[in-house]
Amino acid sequence: MHAESEPGWGRAEHAQVLTRALLALRPFASPGRARFDLPGPTSSSGRDSDALEAFARSFIGVGNLLAGQADDPDGFAEWYAAGISAGVDPASPERWPTLTEQGQPRVEAAALAVALHQTRDQIWERLPGRTQQHLVDWLADSASVDYPRCNWVLFHTVTQAFLASVGAGGDDGRVAEHLEFMTSCHLGDGWYSDAALDAGRPQVDWYNSWVIHHLFHHQASMAPDQPTTARLAPLWKQRLGDWAEQAVHLFGDDGAPLHQGRSLTYRFGVLAGLWDAAASGVGPDPARVRRIAGRTMQHFVGHGCFTEPDGLLSLGWFGAHERLRQPYSGPGSPYWALHGFAGLALPVDHPVWTTTPTPDPAHIDRTLPPLGPADHPSEPMAVGAVGWIIDPGDDGIVRVLNHGVDHASPSGTSDPLYDRLAYSTATAPVETDDPESLVDNQVAVVDAAGRRWSQRLLTDCDMRHTRRGRPVALSRWSTGNRTGTAADAPVVTALATVVDGGELRAVRLDRPGLVTLSGWAVGPDLETTIDPVRGQVRRRVVATHADQPMAAAVTVAGVEFEVAAGEWIVVRVRLRAQD
């Protein structure tokens, strides 16, 4: 079906969901409107920081909404102007914690800076001079505080960019350094590592979309004349297009994005980089971006991401899920997802809104057709810079074979959001308090006490192709042992490729022993098999885990092998939607 004839969400539907989300926060506002005191667990930064976080991150949505429309029937500009005035006033009982008092406000300062830039005429220009000065003073602390060498450096640069744009300095000498650093974290094909490349294997996740590409995009808009920005902006734009061309394949036919990496409570924030690509005129066709965005929004709204009856965005994937929450996440944290409404900042006559018809804005169309073959490659796709193979399958589920990302620690701490052999748009990696239990998509070495351990400390990875042109991922790692050191642990070599009906996974160890290969963690709506193809099978094992992000309980199956040193064992692993 051609994009021009497809039903789908138009600007009105996206604006309707965003407006509802913003209005739902108002009952939780403080008298001066500087805080939203939301129900839920407190983050590691404390309640004052959490209340600022909820305000600043909801302001992201206001920035996107007002940047693309002239009218403001719900009075968001007036509401948030009042909140800013109370928050930055040092004498106010609702004053925000400063950037020197805590680390988290350094993130929220960037959110405020971007939204203030977007609403310059509606909010900044209408603030009293005294409030403008208080706001500048509050943001100016960004020049004297440290930022971790990861995506946080961009929080510094966009804060400084806004200050420069209002004649308040705006370059503390580190802007160029930070922009150069984050630019140097490029792995290839538009993908960035969220840390220095000399710190081990790359940390790759959706931060590529909702921070790195997104804030590079805003940096170019906010500070086009800053020398380093002017020099690097064309490169950022090119990489954005390269990334977006691949990222569009990480969504299932139901709009579900790949479930991998941290901060997944940001959910539809994954769309930010795709909207930026459309705004920049690079990457996929704008109609395709809109189609994916509409399905993704429907996916999360339809699965109850907004709680009833208060309409708040919950800490979880579908609904609230405590295990998915990071320690730095409070009840306002999920509102970083409002970067996923960046398309609303585009004018109504932009191709992203005009290339498909807009349905009746009086209701939300819940009958969107699924994404389909036109939205996915016909064959498995290699993302060599990351060590991934994207398998579109034929059942609406996208799978990613992971042989390049681990986010591992030499201490033996496993991170299920990064170190699994495969991820998908329909499953979540098992998170459990039992470190010895069978979990999904691992090579688990069984020690003399019968314990399974399989921390991945990747040492190298490669991407090759079969004679028929299909990609093959190769990786090698030392399996960290919780009772020893990585040097004491066996070395695993693994190969993976997509074959008809699933993945062919081959493994060998550099010493004899017992090893378990596990498959997918599936709930009641999915089916999976893991079948031995080569090797001496000792037994099959199964484990069930409760309280997982996408299901009340999931089951994981594995096959245990007896292996000789250097012997290859092979399994075929299959994940399918239930027919």
Side-chain angles (χ1 to χ4, degrees):
M1 181 180 292
H2 295 294
E4 290 76 14
S5 63
E6 282 189 8
W9 275 21
R11 196 177 190 283
E13 283 70 31
H14 287 269
Q16 180 182 358
V17 173
L18 176 56
T19 299
R20 287 176 180 174
L22 294 172
L23 293 177
L25 293 165
R26 290 189 176 180
F28 301 92
S30 56
R33 302 179 178 175
R35 305 165 51 112
F36 290 116
D37 293 296
L38 304 181
T42 303
S43 77
S44 55
S45 297
R47 297 299 293 184
D48 287 343
S49 176
D50 290 352
L52 160 62
E53 184 176 64
F55 178 94
R57 297 188 177 199
S58 63
F59 192 33
I60 292 167
V62 173
N64 287 326
L65 188 67
L66 297 187
Q69 65 183 45
D71 59 330
D72 183 16
D74 296 293
F76 288 122
E78 178 185 359
W79 181 283
Y80 279 82
I84 290 169
S85 179
V88 298
D89 184 350
S92 169
E94 297 182 19
R95 79 159 182 93
W96 295 330
T98 68
L99 279 64
T100 58
E101 291 172 332
Q102 290 185 321
Q104 190 60 38
R106 300 167 200 179
V107 181
E108 313 323 319
L112 290 164
V114 169
L116 283 165
H117 174 71
Q118 292 178 302
T119 59
R120 187 177 300 268
D121 294 340
Q122 301 102 315
I123 296 179
W124 167 258
E125 297 292 349
R126 299 183 183 183
L127 292 175
R130 180 171 179 269
T131 297
Q132 286 184 342
Q133 188 58 54
H134 284 158
L135 177 55
V136 165
D137 292 343
W138 190 83
L139 293 173
D141 282 341
S142 59
S144 61
V145 296
D146 293 327
Y147 290 79
R149 288 178 69 78
C150 60
N151 70 85
W152 276 48
V153 300
L154 298 181
F155 302 143
H156 166 253
T157 68
V158 295
T159 303
Q160 291 288 303
F162 175 75
L163 289 171
S165 73
V166 297
D171 189 345
D172 60 13
R174 292 180 299 163
V175 169
E177 175 193 347
H178 282 169
L179 292 175
E180 295 278 11
F181 165 74
M182 202 67 240
T183 302
S184 75
C185 290
H186 184 243
L187 299 168
D189 299 327
W191 290 89
Y192 289 88
S193 171
D194 189 17
L197 297 183
D198 59 359
R201 292 304 308 166
Q203 180 178 329
V204 176
D205 48 34
W206 283 111
Y207 273 79
N208 269 271
S209 184
W210 58 50
V211 173
I212 300 173
H213 281 297
H214 194 49
L215 292 191
F216 274 147
H217 176 74
H218 280 297
Q219 179 77 27
S221 171
M222 296 168 72
D225 298 327
Q226 195 270 342
T228 306
T229 298
R231 177 169 55 83
L232 293 176
L235 181 61
W236 300 335
K237 181 177 176 179
Q238 173 194 327
R239 292 175 177 179
L240 170 63
D242 293 343
W243 171 85
E245 289 282 9
Q246 297 176 83
V248 291
H249 301 304
L250 298 178
F251 295 82
D253 284 4
D254 59 356
L258 183 72
H259 190 96
Q260 179 271 337
R262 66 188 179 93
S263 299
L264 291 174
T265 61
Y266 300 165
R267 298 177 175 97
F268 40 84
V270 300
L271 299 170
L274 297 184
W275 289 121
D276 295 334
S280 301
V282 296
D285 179 74
R288 188 176 184 184
V289 171
R290 174 181 165 180
R291 187 166 61 247
I292 291 172
R295 287 301 298 165
T296 299
M297 290 300 305
Q298 282 196 323
H299 177 74
F300 285 112
V301 171
H303 279 90
C305 68
F306 292 102
T307 60
E308 297 292 346
D310 53 25
L312 299 178
L313 193 56
S314 62
L315 272 163
W317 186 248
F318 293 153
H321 191 266
E322 176 61 23
R323 196 180 290 277
L324 197 64
R325 184 178 75 92
Q326 267 84 28
Y328 54 76
S329 297
S333 295
Y335 286 87
W336 197 263
L338 301 193
H339 282 302
F341 290 100
L344 292 175
L346 299 174
V348 295
D349 59 352
H350 189 279
V352 81
W353 298 124
T354 59
T355 50
T356 55
T358 301
D360 180 4
H363 72 283
I364 294 178
D365 176 9
R366 300 190 183 280
T367 60
L368 278 177
L371 305 177
D375 298 285
H376 301 300
S378 59
E379 296 289 338
M381 175 180 171
V383 186
V386 184
W388 285 358
I389 297 176
I390 301 175
D391 173 17
D394 59 3
D395 58 352
I397 299 173
V398 172
R399 306 149 185 82
V400 168
L401 315 187
N402 171 36
H403 285 258
V405 177
D406 62 10
H407 194 211
S409 167
S411 66
T413 302
S414 178
D415 192 334
L417 296 171
Y418 294 92
D419 69 3
R420 297 293 196 255
L421 288 170
Y423 295 91
S424 86
T425 59
T427 62
V430 166
E431 297 196 55
T432 175
D433 296 324
D434 181 2
E436 311 302 340
S437 63
L438 179 71
V439 296
D440 58 294
N441 289 314
Q442 279 198 331
V443 179
V445 179
V446 183
D447 66 14
R451 298 170 300 193
R452 295 185 183 88
W453 41 271
S454 187
Q455 168 64 358
R456 294 175 73 197
L457 297 167
L458 286 169
T459 55
D460 58 86
C461 64
D462 193 7
M463 192 73 67
R464 303 177 188 175
H465 289 79
T466 67
R467 280 191 287 266
R468 295 184 179 181
R470 290 230 167 176
V472 179
L474 303 88
S475 59
R476 183 175 294 107
W477 67 90
S478 172
T479 55
N481 188 347
R482 294 178 180 84
T483 61
T485 66
D488 301 325
V491 173
V492 176
T493 302
L495 307 176
T497 192
V498 177
V499 296
D500 293 339
E503 171 196 350
L504 203 64
R505 189 177 297 172
V507 171
R508 71 180 178 189
L509 272 62
D510 67 342
R511 64 192 68 181
L514 298 178
V515 62
T516 302
L517 273 59
S518 59
W520 295 92
V522 297
D525 297 329
L526 300 169
E527 60 184 24
T528 185
T529 56
I530 177 167
D531 297 315
V533 175
R534 186 178 191 274
Q536 184 177 350
V537 176
R538 185 169 182 265
R539 60 172 180 154
R540 289 180 175 268
V541 289
V542 177
T544 300
H545 301 272
D547 187 30
Q548 299 301 313
M550 294 189 193
V554 296
T555 300
V556 180
V559 181
E560 188 174 283
F561 292 86
E562 294 182 1
V563 298
E567 175 192 5
W568 285 102
I569 54 175
V570 183
V571 295
R572 184 190 294 261
V573 185
R574 183 174 180 267
L575 170 69
R576 301 287 293 177
Q578 287 256 0
D579 187 351

